[in-house]
């Protein structure tokens, strides 16, 4: 018999959780403080990336972060501020950035990404959402320097060892693969295992499907309190009403830590802000790419090309840092000399906040202290890629089924 489930958060993870829970016969309500038309799930690069096997918390990242702290245009930026939660998270991040912990994370990231890639295809094959962009052209890691190329080739060797399709391309092979496009690079690593989508299209179609099939969507309604009693959540109180569901899914992205405190839980998360610029004119780009030295993502989407990038830790806010947006535009020109992002396109740049856990792995699983709470957040840069698989795992947990993979490594109760 289906359960009454309340999902807090209407991003890709919340919507996919609703999709699979509805398929299992549960009654589902989604509660979101926004109108579900903006944020990280709408402005991301749209990558489905089994190739992204190295978590953000890796050796050397804290040193880079400190070095880049004094450059507001750097790809990885930590804004200096007095914030005990940020200090605590930074210490956990440092503790997680070891070779041993990265080695432990790699197979987990690979398995969950491959599962999610197949689920994107499965959702498309059902016809539930109608047609939407889902392409498998791979991902090009474009590099300008030998140092960056050698570093990426080391990652490629690990990916190849794990069975993923990857190849190294010199300039000639790259030009053959991506013709009629001038690129100022030395070469590329091509992860043929990756795919891409248009996030705005997928989100709109998924929302429409859920509404048509009885999932209740409550927008512009912020959670103000969560009442617990005897190891259970008894009430979720919003600005407008109260809810008493049997099961609750916390999928509130970067706001999850704030909400977790209302339940006396420790869920370390920092908001990692990213920016994106859409160029709605021909660019000649047909294959997604990452501009290695600049850490800028490039995606040919439906009717436009998206240029996205940066990881900015400056707290929860929607401030657009013009310097960082202009740094993305400058990087595009450096890698693609014939493409110039104009001032109007730059002015329309958008931002989104990605929920980043200290070790770069998502939180997926039951709370150890509240028996009717399932947590699904903290996906960092893999949120889009892992949306479907997280939704399926959440559905399996709430339906009391054996999960499709071992999720102990993603436990929200893990210690740092």
């Amino acid at each position: 018999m289906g359960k009454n489930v309340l999902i807090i958060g209407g991003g890709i993870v919340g919507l996919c959780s609703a999709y699979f829970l509805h398929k299992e016969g549960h009654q589902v309500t989604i509660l979101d403080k926004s109108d579900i038309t903006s944020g990280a799930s709408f402005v991301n690069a749209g990558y489905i990336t089994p190739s992204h096997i190295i978590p953000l918390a890796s050796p050397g990242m804290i040193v880079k972060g400190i070095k880049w702290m004094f450059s507001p245009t750097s790809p990885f930026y930590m804004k200096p501020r007095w914030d005990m939660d940020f200090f605590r998270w930074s210490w956990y991040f440092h503790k997680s950035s070891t070779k041993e912990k990265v080695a432990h994370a790699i197979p987990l990231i690979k398995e969950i990404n491959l599962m999610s890639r197949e689920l994107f295809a499965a959702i498309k094959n059902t016809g539930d959402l109608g047609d939407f962009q889902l392409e498998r052209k791979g991902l090009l890691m474009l590099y300008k320097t030998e140092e960056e190329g050698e570093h990426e080739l080391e990652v490629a060797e690990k990916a190849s060892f794990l069975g993923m399709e990857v190849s190294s391309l010199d300039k000639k092979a790259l030009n053959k693969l991506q013709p009629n496009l001038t690129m100022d690079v030395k070469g590329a690593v091509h992860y043929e295992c990756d795919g891409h989508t248009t996030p705005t299209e997928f989100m709109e179609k998924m929302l429409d499907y859920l509404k048509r099939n009885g999932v209740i969507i409550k927008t512009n309604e912020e959670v103000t309190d969560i009442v617990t009693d005897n190891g259970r959540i008894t009430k979720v109180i919003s600005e407008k009403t109260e809810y008493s569901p049997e099961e609750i899914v916390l999928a509130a992205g970067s706001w999850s830590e704030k909400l977790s405190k209302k339940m006396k839980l420790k869920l370390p998360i920092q908001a990692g802000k990213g920016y994106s610029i859409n160029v709605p004119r021909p660019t000649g780009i047909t294959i997604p790419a990452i501009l290695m030295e600049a850490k800028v993502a490039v995606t040919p989407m439906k009717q436009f090309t998206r240029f996205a990038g940066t990881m900015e830790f400056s707290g929860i806010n929607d401030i657009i840092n013009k310097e960082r947006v202009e740094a993305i535009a400058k990087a595009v020109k450096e890698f693609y000399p014939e493409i110039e992002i104009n001032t109007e396109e730059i002015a329309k740049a958008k931002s989104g906040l990605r929920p980043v856990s200290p070790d770069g792995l998502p939180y997926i699983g039951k709370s150890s202290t509240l028996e009717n709470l399932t947590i699904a957040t903290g996906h960092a840069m893999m949120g889009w890629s892992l949306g479907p698989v997280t939704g399926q795992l959440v559905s399996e947990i709430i339906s009391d089924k054996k999960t499709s993979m071992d999720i102990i490594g993603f436990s929200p109760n893990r210690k740092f």
Side-chain angles (χ1 to χ4, degrees), residues 344-362:
E344 184 181 351
E345 290 158 348
I346 290 172
K348 291 180 179 177
K350 295 182 178 179
S351 69
L353 300 174
R354 295 161 292 196
V356 185
S357 69
D359 59 4
L361 296 176

Side-chain angles (χ1 to χ4, degrees), residues 280-329:
R281 52 191 164 88
T283 60
I285 297 169
T286 59
I287 300 174
I290 289 181
L291 316 182
M292 291 295 297
E293 285 80 1
K295 303 293 185 289
V296 169
V298 182
T299 316
M301 295 186 180
K302 266 196 175 178
Q303 301 177 334
F304 60 91
T305 303
R306 174 167 289 175
F307 301 94
T310 84
M311 179 63 85
E312 173 189 325
F313 293 101
S314 58
I316 293 182
N317 62 74
D318 57 2
I319 298 168
I320 300 286
N321 186 319
K322 292 181 180 178
E323 285 184 286
R324 299 183 70 70
V325 175
E326 287 167 359
I328 293 172

Side-chain angles (χ1 to χ4, degrees), residues 48-54 105-115 117-118 136 138-139 152 154-168 189-195 382 385:
I48 302 165
T49 49
S51 68
H52 279 32
I53 55 174
I54 308 295
I106 285 173
L108 292 175
I109 295 173
K110 174 217 168 185
E111 183 181 359
I112 195 169
N113 264 290
L114 286 174
M115 282 179 59
R117 185 186 70 182
E118 299 314 308
R136 180 90 172 271
L139 177 66
E152 192 56 39
E154 289 178 10
V155 178
E157 282 182 18
K158 292 175 183 175
S160 180
F161 178 77
L162 290 170
M164 287 185 266
E165 309 96 323
V166 58
S167 57
S168 176
V189 172
H190 186 203
Y191 291 97
E192 299 157 54
C193 51
D194 288 6
M382 295 182 289
S385 188

Side-chain angles (χ1 to χ4, degrees), residues 253-286:
S254 295
W255 290 264
S256 298
E257 181 179 35
K258 178 183 174 183
L259 290 172
S260 72
K261 288 179 178 178
K262 295 180 183 297
M263 300 175 275
K264 296 181 172 56
L265 302 178
K266 289 184 179 179
L267 196 68
I269 286 175
Q270 283 294 307
K273 186 186 293 182
Y275 299 91
S276 71
I277 307 169
N278 293 341
V279 175
R281 52 191 164 88
T283 60
I285 297 169
T286 59

Side-chain angles (χ1 to χ4, degrees), residues 175-381:
N175 288 335
K176 186 177 179 182
L177 186 67
Q178 180 73 94
N180 307 315
L181 180 65
T182 302
M183 292 174 280
D184 185 6
V185 298
K186 283 188 178 294
V189 172
H190 186 203
Y191 291 97
E192 299 157 54
C193 51
D194 288 6
H196 70 284
T197 58
T198 300
T200 48
E201 178 188 44
F202 183 90
M203 289 291 288
E204 288 167 4
K205 287 180 180 261
M206 179 61 85
L207 268 170
D208 180 62
Y209 170 83
L210 294 174
K211 289 175 183 177
R212 284 188 286 107
N213 285 274
V215 172
I216 299 169
I217 314 287
K218 298 279 191 176
T219 57
N220 299 307
E221 191 171 334
E222 187 170 1
V223 172
T224 56
D225 202 6
I226 299 173
V227 181
T228 64
D229 181 49
N230 199 27
R232 289 183 63 84
I233 295 173
T234 55
K235 284 183 185 178
V236 175
I237 303 170
S238 79
E239 301 165 307
K240 299 177 181 178
T241 189
E242 295 182 1
Y243 300 87
S244 298
E246 294 172 75
E247 297 282 345
I248 295 90
V249 179
L250 179 60
S254 295
W255 290 264
S256 298
E257 181 179 35
K258 178 183 174 183
L259 290 172
S260 72
K261 288 179 178 178
K262 295 180 183 297
M263 300 175 275
K264 296 181 172 56
L265 302 178
K266 289 184 179 179
L267 196 68
I269 286 175
Q270 283 294 307
K273 186 186 293 182
Y275 299 91
S276 71
I277 307 169
N278 293 341
V279 175
R281 52 191 164 88
T283 60
I285 297 169
T286 59
I287 300 174
I290 289 181
L291 316 182
M292 291 295 297
E293 285 80 1
K295 303 293 185 289
V296 169
V298 182
T299 316
M301 295 186 180
K302 266 196 175 178
Q303 301 177 334
F304 60 91
T305 303
R306 174 167 289 175
F307 301 94
T310 84
M311 179 63 85
E312 173 189 325
F313 293 101
S314 58
I316 293 182
N317 62 74
D318 57 2
I319 298 168
I320 300 286
N321 186 319
K322 292 181 180 178
E323 285 184 286
R324 299 183 70 70
V325 175
E326 287 167 359
I328 293 172
K330 182 184 176 187
V332 171
K333 179 73 173 174
E334 289 172 350
F335 279 76
Y336 304 107
E338 294 177 353
I339 300 175
E340 187 152 358
I341 299 177
N342 62 43
T343 53
E344 184 181 351
E345 290 158 348
I346 290 172
K348 291 180 179 177
K350 295 182 178 179
S351 69
L353 300 174
R354 295 161 292 196
V356 185
S357 69
D359 59 4
L361 296 176
Y363 298 115
I364 307 171
K366 278 278 190 184
S367 163
S368 60
T369 57
L370 297 169
E371 63 181 56
N372 60 339
L373 174 66
T374 300
I375 296 169
T377 187
H379 294 72
M381 295 176 292

